Amino acid sequence: MTPRPPFRTSVSNVLIIGTGGAGLRAAIAAHEAGTEAVVIGKRARKDAHTVLAAGGINAVLGTRDPEDSWEQHFIDTWRDGYYLGNPRVIELLVREAPSVIGELEQWGCDFARTPDGRLDQRFFGAHKYRRTCYAGDYTGRAMINALDARVTELDIPIVENQHVSRLLVEDGSCFGAFAFNLSSGERTVYIADAVVLATGGHTRIWRKSSSRRDENNGDGMYLALQAGCRLADMELVQFHPTGMVAPEEMAGTLVTEAVRGEGGRLFNASRERYMTRYDAERMELSTRDRVALANYTEITQGRGGPHGGVFLDVSHIGKEQILKKLPRMYRQFIEYQMLDISRHPMEVAPTAHYSMGGVVVDPETHATDVAGLFAAGETTSGLHGANRLGGNSLTETLVFGRRAGAAAAARAQSIDVQVRSRSRIEEANAELDSFIKEGTEFVRPLQRALRDNMWEHCGVVRSEQGLKQGLQKIEELKDLLPQVDVRPTSEGYDDLGHALNLRGSLFSAQASLLGAVERRETRGAHNRSDYPQLDEKLTVNLVSRLTRDGEFEISAEPVAPAPEHLSHWAKDDAHLEAKGRLLE
Amino acid sequence: MKVHLRLLRFNPETDGEPHFEEYTVEADPMDRLLDCLHQVKWRHDSSLALRRSCAHGICGSDTMLINGVNALACKVLVKDMKQPVTVEPMRGLPVIKDFIVDMEPFFAGYRAVKPWLIPDPDAHEPARERIQTPDERERFDDTTKCILCAACTTSCPIFWSDTEYVGPAAIVNAHRFIFDSRDYGSRERLQILSGKGGVFKCRTAFNCTAACPRGIKVTKAIQEVKRAALYDTF
């Protein structure tokens, strides 16, 4: 019998890492441009985290509000991101949003319709007009279904169960990735002319998180760092105002903003509708950072409920409306709490929800600092600034997935020769070997310690002292990493995946903590108890990179300027009208 | 409370035949069967092989035969199960190990019905979205809920014995496009489904409808596709 090779080799033009919205859209773009695309992902096909996105996807179609314009969408996004977003990224997003929705509709996405048959649009927090398309409260799943149907039709291969341990870089150019199969352990070198990283964010490293277990653990950001990319805005993490508080293993699971979009009201334990004290105009539909801080304040000042949450009540809109507009939320509470939300309020608390920072990319092509490496979706930075508007991220996955996929294909078609390096491949293979050993530490307790640490020291409200303690703890955990026990047996290679995830989590956690220390101000989602005011001088992006010896280096970079006319408009239009914005 | 489990185990490297093994785990009445299986895997025998991913009933990867009925392990509550709980792999697909079956025959049936939107070949790219009324949208709403978990197909007695039959899930996914007013591939799909492995293999056993964790009216969808094929109405 031939001995089993140490690893297999797979060759394609464009390798896409991640099977969510951004990854699938990139694959379609690369295929349509005429290149061979291969998509690899950790999980089963159609089980990417995008399926959990509930509320909707934004595009100015003017279906409901004809006076809406891309300029207004730009302004809402830029201003409510506290001017930290890259204006060019935002402009591309808002201008191309209608066409990516149109495509999705062409591929059969079952969006909700208006009575005259057009794509319906609803309000989302802090948008001036109705511009959020939706499919009930399972928009992400509807999107993935449509994208997957297109991928099936084009016969683009999706390889499941693939965990990437390293991006392969030689001479400043990325030529593929090293991966192993989570069930069989079989290793594969994926060689490609260009790689698209679509690996999501890092919010699972907080104790309360809207992310599923073992996802969004920052490993994609680590892969990019290690390959030589810069990360920006890592301290800017969106805490969604409303996550479930019970049962324990479900704590943090999202209660979609659509609940408030459909008229849900927030109360504290004494039935006070407290948003009047935080944002009397926009109330529950204020920006997420404000509502999250309001909920956090009510809870920490002792006005919360029995499980340490506040109350979100949607019972006044009636059971029929709830079943039609919020079917998944209705089911979620019935299934996990035996609670009928058409009769009783839900208890909710803030939960880590979205990484607004991430890999630094070129606005047009989403190319990273490393030649041949592109990135798209939550794993990137540049769009959301210090506060993300609901519904913008699904649009982001499609607009920039498409751009990254096309740019990756263009690179594949333009290069004469692609550098490969056997020694880089051998290094990656040896690195995996080095993780597999008996050790004195187990991954789960270390993960738990990390998540507690981030929640306590880098949560909704932060301070210099806490952040420093948080960094100290990260160092301690990093020291334990080499002693982690990884023993793959016939049950699979999950252990190895967890250990690599932990490594990624520790690095992305450190980047967040370091950024949070440097951002000595309060802006958007970043609240500093010791610096409660916004500091104009900090209208910068905090950028981190790894030095040769693996240490972080952090610096402030100026935010790109916005076109003159938009910048004026944004400042003139600072006072939003709240009238008619609730869907009651 | 204590939960007694009887699991049908099979390891191709060592076992000639599948056999039952028994385990007892501690669980809350509101826990799910998947939590119990995790306990077995994490505390008793790490070699237990099963697929699971989201644990929320969305990904459709942990379908098993639970006390003789197909269901998702992440959806069945401990308090609702008769003890001892007998768990077997789905029927009608080759077992690879324990609860992991080869899904390829299932997905082959799915791909055969062209489960994607086929647009009007004569239409110009519309400048905006195609118009579809809420009623037209409603027509295929039920079948958009499919998560391809194979609970219906592997509970179908016809699928067990007839390798040509595409199975209920494939027909559900064909239905989703056949009755979508934007789709122009229906005739093509109905031709495929009128063939040997198609809808007329169905003998309305209704097992599929009972098994669907999403509550899709599977048999009804199949009957609608039969009717469309016979009378050319869709």
Side-chain angles (χ1 to χ4, degrees):
Chain A
M1 212 172 100
T2 331
R4 200 173 139 174
F7 46 78
R8 304 200 62 76
T9 303
S10 153
V11 182
S12 60
N13 290 129
V14 179
L15 172 71
I16 292 113
I17 305 173
T19 61
L24 294 184
R25 188 62 195 83
I28 294 167
H31 179 96
E32 286 179 340
T35 59
E36 280 302 305
V38 169
V39 190
I40 62 177
K42 283 181 190 169
R43 288 188 179 247
R45 185 180 185 124
K46 286 175 94 164
D47 186 29
H49 210 271
T50 307
V51 298
L52 292 194
I57 174 165
N58 299 334
V60 173
L61 303 177
T63 310
R64 290 282 190 181
D65 297 313
E67 59 275 42
D68 199 5
S69 62
W70 70 262
E71 288 91 343
Q72 187 64 52
H73 189 188
F74 175 95
I75 283 157
D76 290 351
T77 304
W78 191 44
R79 185 187 45 227
D80 282 317
Y82 297 81
Y83 307 110
L84 290 189
N86 180 315
R88 181 61 184 158
V89 173
I90 302 173
E91 186 181 341
L92 289 172
L93 177 99
V94 300
R95 297 186 80 152
E96 294 181 5
S99 86
V100 291
I101 300 251
E103 267 172 7
L104 216 53
E105 197 277 333
Q106 296 290 315
W107 298 333
C109 190
D110 52 324
F111 287 122
R113 300 283 174 158
T114 60
D116 60 351
R118 304 186 52 202
L119 295 179
D120 196 10
Q121 300 206 289
R122 66 179 165 199
F123 270 125
F124 244 38
H127 288 281
K128 184 162 182 173
Y129 297 110
R130 282 171 290 187
R131 58 170 80 107
T132 305
C133 293
Y134 62 99
D137 54 2
Y138 49 89
T139 312
R141 195 168 61 77
M143 268 177 62
I144 288 290
N145 283 347
L147 290 169
D148 186 78
R150 180 70 178 158
V151 165
T152 307
E153 180 184 1
L154 299 176
D155 215 6
I156 301 170
I158 295 184
V159 193
E160 300 176 346
N161 268 332
Q162 297 293 307
H163 193 299
V164 173
S165 63
R166 190 181 266 223
L167 295 172
L168 301 168
V169 179
E170 174 70 8
D171 256 357
S173 137
C174 181
F175 66 95
F178 198 84
F180 66 94
N181 184 308
L182 279 164
S183 4
S184 70
E186 183 174 69
R187 300 176 187 183
T188 307
V189 186
Y190 289 92
I191 304 240
D193 301 329
V195 176
V196 180
L197 197 62
T199 46
H202 74 318
T203 51
R204 183 68 193 178
I205 65 177
W206 275 265
R207 170 84 273 157
K208 285 194 181 120
S209 164
S210 62
S211 178
R212 297 191 296 200
R213 183 188 292 176
D214 300 326
E215 294 201 10
N216 287 318
N217 35 39
D219 57 332
M221 290 158 174
Y222 170 75
L223 290 176
L225 256 186
Q226 199 263 345
C229 299
R230 289 169 299 157
L231 302 180
D233 299 340
M234 288 295 285
E235 73 282 10
L236 302 174
V237 173
Q238 176 164 69
F239 291 90
H240 195 286
T242 58
M244 287 176 89
V245 289
E248 163 69 22
E249 75 277 7
M250 293 294 289
T253 301
L254 203 65
V255 178
T256 173
E257 179 159 319
V259 175
R260 283 173 287 132
E262 296 297 342
R265 298 163 179 170
L266 286 163
F267 296 96
N268 59 23
S270 40
R271 285 295 287 174
E272 179 204 3
R273 200 168 165 196
Y274 55 82
M275 278 311 293
T276 50
R277 287 189 275 111
Y278 297 89
D279 188 342
E281 243 187 292
R282 294 190 277 188
M283 297 293 287
E284 283 83 1
L285 284 182
S286 181
T287 52
R288 286 185 175 173
D289 57 324
R290 289 189 179 88
V291 183
L293 186 61
N295 294 358
Y296 177 85
T297 309
E298 290 301 305
I299 294 162
T300 48
Q301 293 186 354
R303 293 188 288 275
H307 295 94
V310 288
F311 297 98
L312 175 60
D313 192 353
V314 75
S315 59
H316 59 282
I317 75 167
K319 188 159 183 166
E320 198 186 331
Q321 274 301 97
I322 289 172
L323 285 178
K324 197 162 138 221
K325 295 288 181 72
L326 305 163
R328 203 168 83 190
M329 283 305 116
Y330 184 79
R331 215 167 45 237
Q332 183 172 315
F333 277 88
I334 288 281
E335 286 186 4
Y336 291 101
Q337 292 186 1
M338 296 260 168
L339 182 88
D340 180 353
I341 64 169
S342 70
R343 301 169 57 117
H344 305 284
M346 302 158 249
E347 195 175 348
V348 294
T351 175
H353 182 52
Y354 194 86
S355 311
M356 293 175 288
V359 183
V360 176
V361 288
D362 170 65
E364 317 286 329
T365 59
H366 269 42
T368 67
D369 299 335
V370 177
L373 179 61
F374 301 79
E378 187 174 355
T379 208
T380 63
S381 65
L383 174 64
H384 307 290
N387 177 57
R388 179 179 74 91
L389 291 190
N392 268 357
S393 53
L394 285 183
T395 313
E396 178 189 18
T397 62
L398 299 179
V399 167
F400 295 108
R402 182 167 75 178
R403 281 186 162 265
R411 174 181 159 87
Q413 286 159 331
S414 67
I415 54 175
D416 289 317
V417 89
Q418 167 67 301
V419 180
R420 293 189 198 178
S421 160
R422 263 185 303 144
S423 58
R424 293 286 166 268
I425 296 170
E426 287 302 337
E427 274 168 30
N429 191 42
E431 180 187 62
L432 268 195
D433 286 340
S434 75
F435 267 91
I436 301 174
K437 62 181 179 320
E438 294 187 13
T440 50
E441 297 291 330
F442 293 91
V443 174
R444 289 294 190 205
L446 299 186
Q447 262 177 350
R448 182 165 279 265
L450 170 65
R451 296 178 68 200
D452 287 338
N453 181 52
M454 293 307 279
W455 190 252
E456 188 176 350
H457 299 305
C458 200
V460 181
V461 177
R462 303 152 176 189
S463 71
E464 184 106 14
Q465 198 195 1
L467 291 165
K468 291 271 161 72
Q469 285 171 12
L471 279 166
Q472 180 61 38
K473 183 76 187 173
I474 297 285
E475 292 299 341
E476 289 166 23
L477 291 170
K478 266 184 158 177
D479 289 341
L480 296 177
L481 188 61
Q483 284 134 49
V484 162
D485 186 270
V486 177
R487 274 182 279 180
T489 48
S490 50
E491 94 269 27
Y493 282 67
D494 285 348
D495 262 15
L496 182 55
H498 296 328
L500 291 167
N501 284 343
L502 178 64
R503 176 184 66 178
S505 300
L506 287 168
F507 277 88
S508 45
Q510 200 175 1
S512 288
L513 285 157
L514 287 167
V517 170
E518 293 302 316
R519 191 166 283 290
R520 293 184 179 83
E521 63 163 348
T522 287
R523 184 189 293 254
H526 175 73
N527 295 289
R528 282 284 296 262
S529 58
D530 43 354
Y531 295 94
Q533 300 300 324
L534 188 142
D535 181 354
E536 281 299 340
K537 289 195 293 298
L538 282 169
T539 307
V540 294
N541 298 117
L542 296 172
V543 174
S544 51
R545 60 165 69 75
L546 280 187
T547 61
R548 249 168 214 291
D549 44 1
E551 295 299 318
F552 271 103
E553 203 175 72
I554 188 156
S555 58
E557 294 187 6
V559 178
E564 190 81 355
H565 70 288
L566 289 173
S567 147
H568 281 305
W569 189 351
K571 276 153 198 170
D572 292 347
D573 193 54
H575 297 287
L576 279 173
E577 292 167 48
K579 250 191 184 159
R581 307 191 69 233
L582 297 174
L583 284 185
E584 293 169 348
Chain B
M1 63 183 278
K2 286 212 182 317
V3 182
H4 300 286
L5 300 166
R6 282 179 75 235
L7 309 183
L8 190 64
R9 305 290 307 268
F10 174 65
N11 179 350
E13 286 165 18
T14 54
D15 305 343
E17 285 292 314
H19 62 281
F20 280 102
E21 280 182 30
E22 304 202 2
Y23 304 88
T24 303
V25 298
E26 192 62 40
D28 188 85
M30 285 297 288
D31 280 349
R32 284 127 214 280
L33 173 63
L34 182 62
D35 301 311
C36 302
L37 296 175
H38 275 155
Q39 283 210 43
V40 172
K41 185 172 172 63
W42 293 343
R43 301 202 181 144
H44 297 272
D45 182 354
S46 63
S47 74
L48 181 71
L50 67 150
R51 283 199 185 97
R52 79 284 193 205
S53 188
C54 77
H56 289 63
I58 292 172
C59 75
S61 54
D62 62 351
T63 307
M64 300 168 190
L65 192 65
I66 301 163
N67 280 341
V69 180
N70 267 0
L72 299 177
C74 60
K75 299 273 281 188
V76 183
L77 299 179
V78 164
K79 71 178 179 61
D80 296 335
M81 294 185 297
K82 212 178 114 202
Q83 296 219 35
V85 184
T86 304
V87 189
E88 299 163 68
M90 283 181 260
R91 287 188 180 144
L93 292 170
V95 177
I96 297 172
K97 187 180 176 194
D98 296 338
F99 302 124
I100 298 186
V101 296
D102 179 6
M103 298 285 282
E104 183 45 34
F106 171 79
F107 282 111
Y110 170 66
R111 286 192 303 269
V113 302
K114 299 185 185 270
W116 53 79
L117 194 97
I118 300 172
D120 182 353
D122 302 325
H124 300 290
E125 286 267 300
R128 306 189 73 96
E129 73 268 36
R130 282 162 297 191
I131 299 300
Q132 180 170 59
T133 67
D135 285 345
E136 288 169 335
R137 162 75 185 72
E138 186 61 33
R139 188 69 191 84
F140 63 96
D141 185 69
D142 197 39
T143 44
T144 63
K145 294 181 195 144
C146 176
I147 55 174
L148 294 173
C149 69
C152 58
T153 296
T154 61
S155 67
C156 171
I158 312 296
F159 184 81
W160 294 338
S161 57
D162 186 335
T163 51
E164 272 179 333
Y165 183 38
V166 293
I171 303 171
V172 162
N173 282 279
H175 179 283
R176 183 253 171 271
F177 290 102
I178 290 169
F179 293 97
D180 186 332
S181 58
R182 301 168 294 180
D183 184 82
Y184 282 75
S186 303
R187 216 165 290 277
E188 203 179 336
R189 283 193 203 91
L190 288 171
Q191 202 159 16
I192 297 163
L193 285 170
S194 302
K196 273 211 296 192
V199 279
F200 296 103
K201 293 272 182 190
C202 168
R203 289 287 175 274
T204 59
F206 275 94
N207 279 11
C208 50
T209 304
C212 181
R214 307 282 299 169
I216 300 171
K217 297 178 188 76
V218 182
T219 316
K220 180 169 178 239
I222 296 174
Q223 294 305 95
E224 286 178 353
V225 174
K226 282 183 188 168
R227 226 168 279 146
L230 281 175
Y231 307 117
D232 220 14
T233 50
F234 49 86

